[in-house]
Amino acid sequence: MVAQTHLTVASGDEDSAKRHQIMDGARRVFMDLGFDGASMNEIARAAGVSKGTLYVYFTDKNRLFEAIVEQETLEHGKTAFNFDPALDAESSLRAFGRAYIEILCRPDGGSAVRTVMAIAERMPDVGRRFYDRVIAHTMRLLATYLAARVSAKELAIDDCELAAAQFMRMCQATLFEPYVFQAKPAPTKEQIATVVDSAARLFLAGYRIR
């Protein structure tokens, strides 16, 4: 008599929950140890699954890391910045800047950027994808808004993508680099407001039509 092996197929919800459980554990390991220091054994332990289960979902560490980056890009893509045409440019820029820095400097955001930066040379496709879907995507959203304010004769800007990049970098000043290099903790809402308000004033001093 031949024994039969019965396989239980997980439902879609169970499969998704297990995948997220693994990715959450892997994210913690990548944050603590970096890409090179992380091992599939350590990831399985942190995720609370067997190594066999881990390989059912992800064939290797590269695929797992790419899945985490992809999830990060999707989360950023869901962000809805408020570009209300009824608001003046200064109010809109302040609202955008605060939301942008709060996302960029959230507790796990800096670690994601650090990890991508560390691996981008070895995995350029991952780096390019993260840049295009997160950084450049946000820049394009702001540039589109700026172009609308140019059409409304509120701003005078020749290159809206350049101007968008300038404003985003000004919003990061004294906040993002100390955070991403772990020199300082995530900035408070008050610190963010101070820097972003200053950035908006400087930006409009150069681009607002008087």
Side-chain angles (χ1 to χ4, degrees):
M1 179 176 177
V2 179
Q4 293 182 342
T5 301
H6 297 279
L7 299 177
T8 301
V9 179
S11 69
D13 289 344
E14 291 173 343
D15 185 78
S16 178
K18 183 65 68 175
R19 181 181 175 87
H20 279 87
Q21 178 183 337
I22 292 170
M23 290 172 65
D24 287 343
R27 187 180 287 104
R28 292 194 299 272
V29 174
F30 285 132
M31 288 179 186
D32 292 340
L33 304 178
F35 182 84
D36 291 329
S39 68
M40 293 296 268
N41 281 331
E42 193 66 36
I43 291 169
R45 189 179 303 112
V49 300
S50 69
K51 196 172 178 181
T53 298
L54 180 59
Y55 279 112
V56 167
Y57 288 87
F58 300 98
T59 56
D60 56 35
K61 187 169 67 172
N62 286 13
R63 298 295 180 275
L64 180 49
F65 180 78
E66 287 197 22
I68 291 172
V69 172
E70 187 67 21
Q71 185 183 55
E72 183 75 13
T73 63
L74 290 174
E75 289 302 315
H76 276 267
K78 292 177 184 176
T79 303
F81 295 109
N82 181 22
F83 292 122
D84 186 346
L87 294 177
D88 61 280
E90 184 169 0
S91 298
S92 294
L93 287 171
R94 286 179 174 178
F96 166 83
R98 293 181 190 192
Y100 168 63
I101 296 300
E102 285 178 9
I103 293 169
L104 195 65
C105 295
R106 73 187 193 278
D108 61 343
S111 295
V113 173
R114 282 193 296 268
T115 307
V116 173
M117 288 171 64
I119 202 64
E121 186 173 352
R122 185 183 311 168
M123 299 169 66
D125 287 345
V126 173
R128 282 193 292 267
R129 194 157 61 244
F130 184 85
Y131 176 81
D132 183 64
R133 297 183 185 179
V134 175
I135 300 171
H137 172 70
T138 305
M139 199 178 301
R140 288 190 293 267
L141 289 176
L142 179 56
T144 299
Y145 168 76
L146 294 176
R149 303 323 299 168
V150 170
S151 297
K153 308 299 183 185
E154 186 176 0
L155 302 177
I157 302 174
D158 294 328
D159 188 333
C160 288
E161 286 199 11
L162 173 60
Q166 289 169 337
F167 182 70
M168 290 166 63
R169 296 300 181 270
M170 284 195 290
C171 288
Q172 294 179 23
T174 75
L175 300 176
F176 180 64
E177 287 185 353
Y179 167 65
V180 80
F181 289 111
Q182 298 183 311
K184 291 182 180 180
T188 64
K189 287 183 179 293
E190 291 75 17
Q191 290 170 326
I192 291 172
T194 297
V195 174
V196 169
D197 289 353
S198 175
R201 287 194 300 271
L202 286 171
F203 184 85
L204 293 172
Y207 287 121
R208 182 156 50 190
I209 295 175
R210 290 171 177 78

